[in-house]
DNA sequence: TCAAAAGTGTTCACCGTACACCCATGG
DNA sequence: CCATGGGTGTACGGTGAACACTTTTGA
């Protein structure tokens, strides 16, 4: 006999996106001011409901695209949140994703449309539902990832200086790093290309720009290489 | 105005449990022979649907308890699986959990009731739906965990020998380890208690038994200690 | 010529790894 | 007395961490 699926309880399934950016100074989080009840006017992660013919990854990408206009962004499923009353209106399971984007890349019009705003990680306000919990988990995961994978490049412009890269690692890991040791480790990884160009905005001497070599990186990953900073 | 939740698509939410055990020889996986359609008679992870007033963790524990009679078991949420047709009967999102249990601890009657059986990891058959994919992911996670947390103790009896512990690490990591180096590392962790007792079954000389000191371990974890094998 | 950031090497301590022999015991 | 698994220590190379001075150039 067939099992009767009808006796089971259905639920809404949502995705919520923890969107990280970096502005050369601070690790930032993109939040929206919620435009509808419940919790209208409060700060919230950008989210959306999973559609009938959609996979979770697709839903998360759709949500991110709606807010930023960006596709092909680094994104990773984080965790499923399921407190019974996390959404007071209806039972909703939310699967959180986190994304790393270049803070200068996105479409500012869209941000306005959603009353979205970047917050420094250290100044994130109280969020709706269990969104602060989601953020905590995302931060932990990001820190761990950062110390084993060179994920951080997703957060930088295409060309960047060593100083920027180091600063990024510092804000993610929450600690200061030694310039010399940092460069040594990064160079050892051998996934950067040093350009002939210099960035002249930060000093009189100017500092060389680098690019991330994605192919070299992929190659190394598939060779079972592990990165550690 | 309130947002109208009714326009959204609901789905069934399930949990599936990847249940690992260890029999001094091999890493094993507990599977059930499915007793109902679809895919009746095929091998499958033990799963169940999330109930209205239940959190995912609770559902996973309930499922595990139903099959093994065990409570308070090491369990961790793994990943949300959402392919549109993963369950052909109805749209079902499944959140996979993996559990580490002592293979001698569970209730054998319950296993019979569910036509459940242990399989060596290397001999796992084709499973229904996306369950093989779930297993792959669980194995990867377990390997990573094992090399940073002393997770393996959950899989051993309360008292165990060094040889057993090493064998366990070997089957999880899929490589042979050096006896002397292994002991050094484990002793360095300082989370084991050496007992006065010996296990005499494995050799004429007998080998000392150890216990895992959970409190010491917790203490170290909360001090920010990281374990690495 | 000076201020401000960029760039660069060395030393030391510790950790991971490779490796081989003696010990205790029951049969 | 011997076969079997248990138990132990050392030497070496590599990696992470600490640390300071020189270079460039626009103002």
């Amino acid at each position: 006999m067939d099992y009767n699926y009808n006796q089971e309880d259905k639920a809404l399934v949502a995705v919520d996106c923890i969107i990280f950016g970096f502005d050369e100074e601070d690790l930032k989080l993109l939040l929206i001011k919620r435009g509808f009840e419940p919790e209208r006017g409060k700060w919230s992660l950008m989210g959306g409901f999973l559609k009938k013919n959609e996979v979770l990854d697709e839903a998360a990408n759709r949500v991110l695209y709606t807010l930023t206009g960006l596709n092909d962004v680094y994104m990773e499923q984080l965790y499923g949140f399921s407190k019974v009353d996390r959404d007071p209106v209806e039972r909703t399971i939310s699967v959180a994703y986190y994304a790393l984007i270049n803070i200068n890349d996105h479409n500012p019009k869209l941000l306005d449309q959603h009353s979205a705003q970047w917050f420094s990680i250290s100044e994130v306000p109280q969020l709706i539902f269990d969104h602060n919990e989601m953020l905590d988990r995302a931060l932990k995961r990001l820190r761990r990832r950062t110390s084993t994978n060179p994920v951080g490049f997703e957060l930088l412009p295409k060309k960047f200086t060593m100083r920027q890269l180091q600063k990024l690692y510092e804000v993610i890991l929450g600690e200061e790093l030694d310039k010399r040791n940092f460069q040594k480790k990064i160079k050892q990884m051998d996934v950067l290309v040093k350009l002939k160009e210099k960035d002249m905005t930060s000093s009189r001497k100017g500092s060389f720009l680098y690019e991330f070599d994605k192919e070299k990186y992929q190659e190394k990953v598939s060779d079972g290489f592990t990165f550690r900073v």
Side-chain angles (χ1 to χ4, degrees), chain A:
Chain A
M1 210 188 72
D2 284 16
Y3 182 80
N4 182 8
Y5 280 57
N6 292 325
Q7 71 196 38
E8 303 297 342
D9 304 311
K10 291 196 177 182
L12 286 168
V13 178
V15 298
D16 285 299
C17 294
I18 296 115
I19 304 171
F20 289 115
F22 175 63
D23 69 351
E24 331 263 297
E25 201 45 59
D26 250 331
L27 187 62
K28 303 229 161 178
L29 177 66
L30 188 54
L31 296 173
I32 63 171
K33 198 177 251 173
R34 210 166 141 100
F36 49 85
E37 297 295 338
E39 303 279 12
R40 179 188 196 125
K42 301 256 180 82
W43 291 102
S44 156
L45 296 173
M46 178 78 175
F49 290 102
L50 179 71
K51 297 193 185 299
K52 207 184 234 168
N53 289 304
E54 201 180 38
V55 173
L56 284 166
D57 284 7
E58 288 165 358
N61 277 297
R62 170 171 57 80
V63 166
L64 186 77
Y65 180 77
T66 307
L67 183 57
T68 63
L70 297 177
N71 264 320
D72 294 322
V73 156
Y74 182 88
M75 237 184 164
E76 196 178 316
Q77 187 183 311
L78 186 62
Y79 200 75
F81 293 82
S82 61
K83 272 213 220 79
V84 174
D85 292 316
R86 50 178 301 286
D87 185 323
V89 178
E90 192 144 355
R91 180 78 203 266
T92 306
I93 310 309
S94 175
V95 179
Y97 277 74
Y98 79 97
L100 306 180
I101 76 175
N102 182 334
I103 205 166
N104 300 309
D105 258 9
H106 57 68
N107 185 336
K109 257 194 215 152
L110 291 172
L111 286 207
D112 281 352
Q113 270 174 40
H114 293 87
S115 326
Q117 210 175 288
W118 288 98
F119 287 81
S120 281
I121 285 299
S122 54
E123 293 162 8
V124 168
Q126 178 95 25
L127 305 177
I128 65 161
F129 303 171
D130 46 8
H131 288 191
N132 288 95
E133 202 184 321
M134 292 178 176
L135 172 59
D136 287 348
R137 204 175 263 269
L139 272 173
K140 268 196 198 145
R141 180 93 134 241
L142 178 59
R143 291 204 177 106
R144 198 168 328 151
R145 273 300 125 88
T146 301
S147 58
T148 55
N149 293 59
V151 257
F153 299 104
E154 320 281 345
L155 291 161
L156 290 170
K158 209 174 168 121
K159 301 173 181 183
F160 50 86
T161 65
M162 271 293 162
R163 175 74 200 134
Q164 285 174 294
L165 182 61
Q166 183 178 339
K167 185 78 193 169
L168 171 59
Y169 271 82
E170 287 178 345
V171 297
I172 292 178
L173 298 174
E175 58 181 323
E176 308 229 314
L177 302 171
D178 181 272
K179 201 165 47 157
R180 289 157 290 183
N181 294 335
F182 182 76
Q183 294 220 15
K184 217 185 302 167
K185 275 181 232 159
I186 296 292
K187 286 200 176 134
Q188 244 162 243
M189 286 183 185
D190 188 33
V191 291
L192 289 193
V193 186
K194 186 174 187 169
L195 304 177
K196 299 255 148 88
E197 281 174 82
K198 279 189 163 189
D199 169 279
M200 300 306 293
T201 62
S202 64
S203 76
R204 317 211 191 284
K205 188 179 177 183
S207 57
F208 279 105
L209 289 164
Y210 291 81
E211 271 181 1
F212 182 54
D213 187 334
K214 202 152 194 172
E215 296 185 10
K216 237 187 204 168
Y217 170 62
Q218 294 296 358
E219 212 176 281
K220 280 172 190 277
V221 166
S222 63
D223 285 357
F225 204 86
T226 18
F227 296 85
R228 190 171 297 281
V229 178

